[in-house]
Amino acid sequence: VKIDSQFSHGTEHHNPMEMYASTVIYEGKDKLKIYDKTQGTINSQMYVANVFGLKYKNVRVLAPYVGGAFGSGLRPQYQLFLCVLASLELKRNVRVTLERKQMFSFGHRPQVVQSLRFGADNSGKVTAMNHSAVGETSAYEDYNEILVPWSHKLYPAANTLFEYKLAPLDLATPIDMRAPGGVSGMHAIECIMDELAYKLNLDPLDFRLNNYSQIDPSTQKPFTSKELKQCYEKGAEKFGWHMRNPKPASTKKGNRLVGWGMATGIWDAYQFPARAGAALTKEGRLEVHNATTDIGTGTLTAMTQIAADEFGISANEVLFFYGDSKKPFSMFQGGSAITSSTGTAIVAAIRELKKKIIKKIKDMDNSPFEKIPEHQIVFRNRAVSVVNQPDIFISFQQLIKINNGKEFKVTKLGGPDLLKLRKYSKATHSASFVEVEIDKDLGSITVTRAVTAVAAGKIINPKTAKSQILGSMIWGISKALHEETLIDPNLGKYMNANLGEYHIPVHADIPEMEVIFAEENDTLINELGIKGVGEIGMTAIPAAIANAIFHATGKRINNLPIHFEDLIKE
């Protein structure tokens, strides 16, 4: 069986609720304090210092609160440059803000045209995969996405060809937008997998299980962990997939056609080096410092939890200071990488802090800890004690006295073990199941149910992680059915640069949604066994919706967003 299909994706713009603004406080002698909307304080600091020839120490960037960004804040935007330029020239405080219309004048998810040819034998095994794509870039930068190779990280095939080309246009350079490359590429891959399943007369879920690989077929390396099969099983059970009537256009509900669709999701499990500071203060509290931002993902909460768990205290006894380029190094917040990156650095710093404290108490006169092995010394209940010997302890307040009233303080670098990890592939996985209802006369599409099961290692905070997946699922619905920036091909101008005509979902568009986390114990990925969740919840949803629409109507529509007029055409 051979399938040859083409797919296209329109332009999308990020449109976070909080628009872009920079405030520069001129402190004299070319020393600047900048409040900026950014996903990376150090990123903006380095940009300003390099462009304007300033010393790094004279540029401080703060971003304690960021009202959404979704990738648009990964690189400095226009207003930062203009604001600093004016402040240095005028030698005074300056603020520059962008209006909503101007939010459409920089970065976006690029237009993509994809051509896929997949083949499978009669036993239901994929034998050939050819995925070719042309992506949009600007005339002055080569922006590219990881778009075409995802299928070979999931499905084994003896014959593969992946091609990716760029088309330079007279438009602003695209910018990463949530699950860049992955969500566009996986839409095409999972739709053609669905089409193959129908041609083979196989259940789409069974077809994927038939081509399941526990290792990465593209590298022949094992994954650090992979519980995708558990995602399939738990998601299908929750959704009731086994009750599906496989025949397209066979299920009706009054004047509506009902369709069920499913798809697989995958995203890389990124981790970057980061540095964290940790201190046991004079008041006996734990302070943690890192330059990371929190763009609404719950970073503050998760980092506080990680620190509290590692130091054996409650979360309300931890103070996490962040969003400041003066703090220890952090990469920008993106790629679903901050929890693993900054979290690992925090663990490294606190372990170093505990070593410093243990050395101090072992060296003091007549120390009851002198001959106690280090692995038997624990931190709990605002004290250092010995396992199974609660009568041997020293409180945090006593520790400060022993240290001559000074706080204990360390800074430590944490990062991935590249030597170990090069032997493995790293990824998060998901499976999404969707139900749609389509009005037979009007062609209007309503997503009525959605379930996503995710395998992302250890989940630090189920509440914030679930919120991230729900947000991704909503955006997946939006990408499939709503979002599209329309361009005048002669002027190169976006014609619907406002939230009245750039359609995003409202409450009435969002159905009952459920999130399931697979149990995934990853002892290799990092000290915490965690992977990011910001993007994985989105990568499967558009394809699941498109596949559900086919099941409801018998029509394959491969261009996103899907317009209702495509469904009422004869």
Side-chain angles (χ1 to χ4, degrees):
V1 172
K2 300 176 185 178
I3 302 292
D4 187 339
S5 295
Q6 283 70 47
F7 300 81
S8 69
H9 293 246
T11 307
E12 297 171 63
H13 278 81
H14 301 73
N15 279 302
M17 184 67 76
E18 177 200 27
M19 294 176 286
Y20 276 83
S22 296
T23 303
V24 175
I25 309 298
Y26 185 81
E27 298 183 325
K29 296 182 180 180
D30 292 342
K31 189 175 181 181
L32 307 176
K33 181 159 66 174
I34 304 169
Y35 292 88
D36 189 37
K37 178 192 172 73
T38 177
Q39 288 174 249
T41 56
I42 290 177
N43 202 29
S44 292
Q45 177 200 31
M46 293 177 67
Y47 170 80
V48 169
N50 287 324
V51 167
F52 291 96
L54 304 175
K55 295 178 180 178
Y56 290 128
K57 67 178 182 179
N58 286 344
V59 180
R60 183 182 183 188
V61 177
L62 298 107
Y65 307 105
V66 181
F70 315 115
S72 62
L74 290 175
R75 60 189 296 175
Q77 297 302 353
Y78 306 146
Q79 88 292 334
L80 176 61
F81 173 84
L82 294 170
C83 197
V84 173
L85 182 73
S87 181
L88 291 174
E89 179 67 23
L90 299 172
K91 301 194 184 311
R92 60 169 292 175
N93 304 340
V94 176
R95 174 180 292 147
V96 177
T97 63
L98 299 183
E99 297 176 346
R100 178 60 62 184
K101 185 176 182 180
Q102 292 169 321
M103 297 288 285
F104 290 82
S105 66
F106 60 80
H108 50 274
R109 193 190 300 277
Q111 304 167 77
V112 178
V113 177
Q114 302 178 74
S115 177
L116 282 79
R117 296 183 301 156
F118 277 30
D121 61 23
N122 289 328
S123 71
K125 292 286 187 180
V126 176
T127 57
M129 297 187 297
N130 173 208
H131 189 166
S132 301
V134 179
E136 168 201 347
T137 188
S138 68
Y140 53 91
E141 285 183 277
D142 286 342
Y143 171 84
N144 62 85
E145 297 181 311
I146 299 174
L147 192 83
V148 298
W150 297 104
S151 57
H152 208 202
K153 286 180 75 70
L154 286 168
Y155 309 117
N159 308 285
T160 60
L161 176 61
F162 304 105
E163 302 169 296
Y164 178 65
K165 297 179 181 179
L166 292 177
L169 305 179
D170 292 324
L171 295 169
T173 306
I175 299 177
D176 288 351
M177 182 186 275
R178 200 171 197 167
V183 69
S184 301
M186 286 305 296
H187 164 245
I189 292 162
E190 287 301 288
C191 283
I192 204 169
M193 287 292 288
D194 195 71
E195 200 170 350
L196 269 175
Y198 275 95
K199 290 284 185 181
L200 290 162
N201 199 29
L202 291 173
D203 182 282
L205 177 55
D206 291 340
F207 181 51
R208 286 165 175 81
L209 288 169
N210 200 34
N211 287 279
Y212 191 87
S213 176
Q214 195 59 41
I215 67 168
D216 181 344
S218 66
T219 63
Q220 294 301 304
K221 294 179 181 179
F223 286 98
T224 58
S225 61
K226 182 181 179 182
E227 291 293 344
L228 174 58
K229 190 173 288 186
Q230 191 183 149
C231 293
Y232 287 145
E233 293 168 353
K234 288 188 173 183
E237 182 182 1
K238 190 72 175 178
F239 188 80
W241 183 260
H242 64 282
M243 296 186 293
R244 172 179 172 274
N245 182 338
K247 187 178 179 182
S250 62
T251 307
K252 298 180 176 63
K253 186 178 179 180
N255 196 47
R256 290 175 170 262
L257 299 168
V258 180
W260 289 6
M262 63 83 56
T264 308
I266 185 171
W267 185 250
D268 208 325
Y270 292 113
Q271 182 184 344
F272 304 116
R275 192 179 295 274
L280 179 62
T281 68
K282 296 175 184 178
E283 294 75 31
R285 301 183 75 176
L286 177 67
E287 282 189 3
V288 179
H289 299 259
N290 180 263
T292 186
T293 56
D294 187 338
I295 58 174
T297 52
T299 302
L300 169 59
T301 304
M303 296 306 111
T304 301
Q305 281 185 265
I306 290 169
D309 289 347
E310 187 63 34
F311 206 58
I313 57 177
S314 62
N316 61 11
E317 292 171 316
V318 177
L319 294 173
F320 180 52
F321 295 92
Y322 66 104
D324 184 345
S325 63
K326 272 197 166 185
K327 302 297 180 187
F329 175 79
S330 171
M331 289 286 285
F332 47 72
Q333 180 156 120
S336 301
I338 278 296
T339 303
S340 58
S341 302
T342 300
T344 299
I346 288 172
V347 168
I350 292 176
R351 287 178 181 174
E352 187 69 16
L353 179 64
K354 290 196 288 189
K355 280 184 181 180
K356 190 172 184 177
I357 292 171
I358 289 170
K359 185 178 184 306
K360 189 72 176 178
I361 62 176
K362 276 178 168 286
D363 290 345
M364 66 184 183
D365 294 337
N366 302 316
S367 173
F369 295 91
E370 184 179 1
K371 295 182 180 180
I372 303 293
E374 189 171 319
H375 69 273
Q376 290 186 17
I377 299 174
V378 295
F379 288 68
R380 60 190 175 193
N381 301 325
R382 296 176 57 80
V384 185
S385 59
V386 179
V387 176
N388 300 325
Q389 296 186 61
D391 55 317
I392 302 177
F393 74 93
I394 183 169
S395 71
F396 286 172
Q397 292 292 348
Q398 289 173 307
L399 279 174
I400 298 300
K401 287 181 181 179
I402 293 168
N403 204 36
N404 299 319
K406 298 177 183 177
E407 65 181 12
F408 288 87
K409 188 176 181 180
V410 300
T411 302
K412 187 72 173 177
L413 178 71
D417 187 339
L418 298 177
L419 195 63
K420 178 178 70 176
L421 289 175
R422 69 181 181 178
K423 301 174 185 177
Y424 299 91
S425 280
K426 316 179 299 297
T428 53
H429 298 89
S430 69
S432 291
F433 298 81
V434 169
E435 179 186 78
V436 300
E437 292 183 2
I438 299 170
D439 189 290
K440 286 194 292 185
D441 299 321
L442 302 177
S444 57
I445 307 163
T446 305
V447 178
T448 49
R449 281 194 302 138
V451 174
T452 293
V454 173
K458 180 182 179 181
I459 303 301
I460 296 295
N461 186 311
K463 185 174 184 178
T464 57
K466 179 183 177 181
S467 179
Q468 283 294 289
I469 302 301
L470 288 173
S472 287
M473 291 171 70
I474 291 169
W475 204 338
I477 294 170
S478 192
K479 179 175 177 60
L481 302 176
H482 299 274
E483 290 191 49
E484 182 179 25
T485 321
L486 302 173
I487 196 166
D488 184 310
N490 296 313
L491 299 176
K493 180 180 179 182
Y494 296 113
M495 305 306 292
N496 57 326
N498 58 76
L499 291 185
E501 296 170 294
Y502 181 85
H503 295 163
I504 56 176
V506 296
H507 289 301
D509 297 308
I510 302 305
E512 172 190 347
M513 298 194 300
E514 295 189 65
V515 176
I516 301 166
F517 289 110
E519 294 179 11
E520 187 173 63
N521 181 27
D522 195 325
T523 59
L524 298 167
I525 192 75
N526 50 53
E527 289 88 339
L528 292 162
I530 58 176
K531 305 173 184 178
V533 296
E535 273 124 330
I536 184 60
M538 184 179 183
T539 55
I541 288 287
I545 291 172
N547 293 337
I549 289 172
F550 170 76
H551 181 237
T553 64
K555 290 186 177 182
R556 290 276 177 197
I557 301 171
N558 294 338
N559 303 328
L560 296 189
I562 295 171
H563 297 156
F564 71 89
E565 61 265 28
D566 295 330
L567 291 171
I568 57 178
K569 289 176 184 175
E570 293 297 331

